[in-house]
């Protein structure tokens, strides 16, 4: 809600450009983590910066959704905003599936790299004693999830830095890169030039000419139709004709015959005939 209110004052595009501050937040997170883990000066400041940046980036997620409908309406008008918003949500749903999968692959790659780095620090005898296999079979044990970072840290030399906090470095860098692409794409968006579009349509598909007779002095516009539009119009006309034919048949079948006009009937039998039959009986 706060970002939607801010966009009314700042404008939609400038507000989206403010969301681009997530780029340094994501790109700087790994450096803050390294500093907090490796520094001997204390981790309070980098951790505070990391927490503040994370909270701010999370507000951007809701801000994007709250500003998006108004942004679309400003660019393309209320008439088309619903369809465009639906298309964007479809793409957003796809990214919600593909994005975590890609980031998971990056994290897995970082984990394997960290394990290989730890294997270079671990003594082969300690490895064989812990896992029951020589260290040259480590890759098989890694694929089987037998060898993990936590277990290797148990037998690593004293002073070895735990690489677990750094497993998301590549993930953060990739996210920052994608945010950069999104920021550039936002800068390239501009409202459609309606006069130019109408002029181009008039030049390519419209023929103007005078009309004689009663319509003299009035210009008639003949716009070329695409094959799809022509087919749709023919199909609509055919459906209308069939409907009229069916309606006409129903009216003909339900309308009274000449013999029945002006009389009173019970079913198909005139009332006078019924009364005569009853009297005779």
């Amino acid at each position: 809600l706060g970002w939607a209110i801010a966009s009314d004052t700042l404008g939609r595009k400038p507000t989206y450009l403010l969301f681009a501050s997530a780029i340094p937040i994501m790109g700087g997170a790994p450096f803050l983590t390294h500093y907090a883990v490796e520094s001997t000066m204390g981790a309070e400041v980098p951790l505070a910066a990391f927490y503040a940046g994370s909270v701010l980036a999370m507000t951007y997620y809701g801000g994007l959704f709250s500003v998006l409908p108004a942004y679309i309406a400003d660019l393309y008008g209320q008439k088309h905003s619903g369809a465009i918003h639906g298309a964007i949500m479809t793409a957003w749903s796809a990214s919600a599936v593909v994005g975590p999968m890609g980031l998971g692959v990056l994290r897995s790659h970082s984990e394997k790299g960290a394990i290989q780095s730890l294997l270079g620090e671990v003594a082969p005898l300690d490895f064989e004693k812990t896992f029951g296999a020589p260290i040259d079979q480590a890759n098989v044990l890694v694929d089987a999830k037998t060898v993990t970072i936590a277990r290797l840290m148990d037998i690593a030399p004293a002073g070895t830095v735990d690489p677990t906090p750094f497993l998301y470095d590549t993930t953060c860098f990739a996210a920052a890169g994608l945010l950069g692409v999104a920021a550039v794409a936002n800068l390239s968006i501009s409202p459609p030039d309606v006069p130019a579009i109408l002029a181009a349509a008039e030049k390519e598909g419209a023929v103007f000419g005078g009309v004689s007779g009663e319509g003299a002095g009035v210009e008639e516009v003949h716009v070329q139709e695409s094959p799809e539009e022509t087919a749709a119009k023919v199909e609509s006309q055919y459906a209308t004709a069939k409907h009229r034919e069916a309606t006409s048949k129903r009216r003909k079948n339900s309308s009274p015959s000449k013999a029945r006009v002006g009389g009173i009937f019970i079913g198909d039998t005139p009332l006078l005939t019924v009364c005569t039959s009853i009297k005779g009986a």
Side-chain angles (χ1 to χ4, degrees):
L1 181 60
W3 285 115
I5 296 173
S7 71
D8 291 336
T9 303
L10 301 176
R12 316 303 180 193
K13 180 173 287 190
T15 303
Y16 263 66
L17 290 177
L18 281 178
F19 294 154
S21 62
I23 298 174
I25 292 175
M26 296 298 296
F31 298 103
L32 292 174
T33 304
H34 280 263
Y35 183 82
V37 173
E38 299 172 355
S39 176
T40 59
M41 302 292 292
E44 291 80 6
V45 174
L47 284 179
F50 177 84
Y51 295 148
S54 299
V55 172
L56 184 60
M58 284 188 288
T59 67
Y60 292 164
Y61 189 81
L64 287 168
F65 280 103
S66 64
V67 179
L68 182 60
Y71 193 11
I72 296 172
D74 289 351
L75 288 172
Y76 304 107
Q78 290 284 354
K79 179 179 179 180
H80 305 288
S81 61
I84 296 173
H85 190 269
I88 293 176
M89 289 298 100
T90 302
W92 207 308
S93 301
S95 68
V97 176
V98 177
M101 292 175 60
L103 298 180
V105 170
L106 292 175
R107 197 265 186 194
S108 177
H109 181 75
S110 297
E111 182 181 15
K112 289 183 178 180
I115 290 175
Q116 293 298 325
S117 178
L118 287 176
L119 288 174
E121 302 289 337
V122 173
L125 292 178
D126 293 337
F127 181 91
E128 187 171 355
K129 182 180 178 180
T130 302
F131 298 102
I135 197 170
D136 58 359
Q137 296 182 8
N139 290 334
V140 177
L141 298 176
V142 170
D143 294 336
K145 304 298 182 182
T146 302
V147 174
T148 61
I149 292 177
R151 297 191 66 184
L152 287 175
M153 287 300 299
D154 291 338
I155 59 175
T160 302
V161 178
D162 187 353
T164 302
F166 315 136
L167 296 181
Y168 288 96
D169 288 2
T170 55
T171 300
C172 290
F173 293 143
L178 293 174
L179 288 170
V181 173
V184 173
N186 177 65
L187 286 173
S188 65
I189 295 175
S190 60
D193 189 351
V194 177
I197 294 174
L198 293 177
E202 181 178 308
K203 182 179 180 181
E204 295 178 3
V207 178
F208 295 88
V211 181
S212 59
E214 296 181 357
V218 179
E219 290 186 340
E220 183 179 7
V221 181
H222 302 279
V223 181
Q224 286 184 335
E225 294 181 345
S226 65
E228 293 79 5
E229 292 175 334
T230 303
K233 182 179 291 186
V234 171
E235 183 178 353
S236 175
Q237 293 174 349
Y238 177 77
T240 302
K242 294 292 291 183
H243 176 71
R244 289 178 178 174
E245 182 180 354
T247 302
S248 177
K249 288 183 179 179
R250 286 197 301 270
R251 289 177 178 175
K252 182 181 295 185
N253 293 334
S254 62
S255 61
S257 61
K258 291 182 180 180
R260 297 180 60 177
V261 174
I264 302 176
F265 290 78
I266 299 178
D268 292 331
T269 306
L271 179 61
L272 180 61
T273 305
V274 175
C275 293
T276 303
S277 301
I278 294 175
K279 184 177 180 180

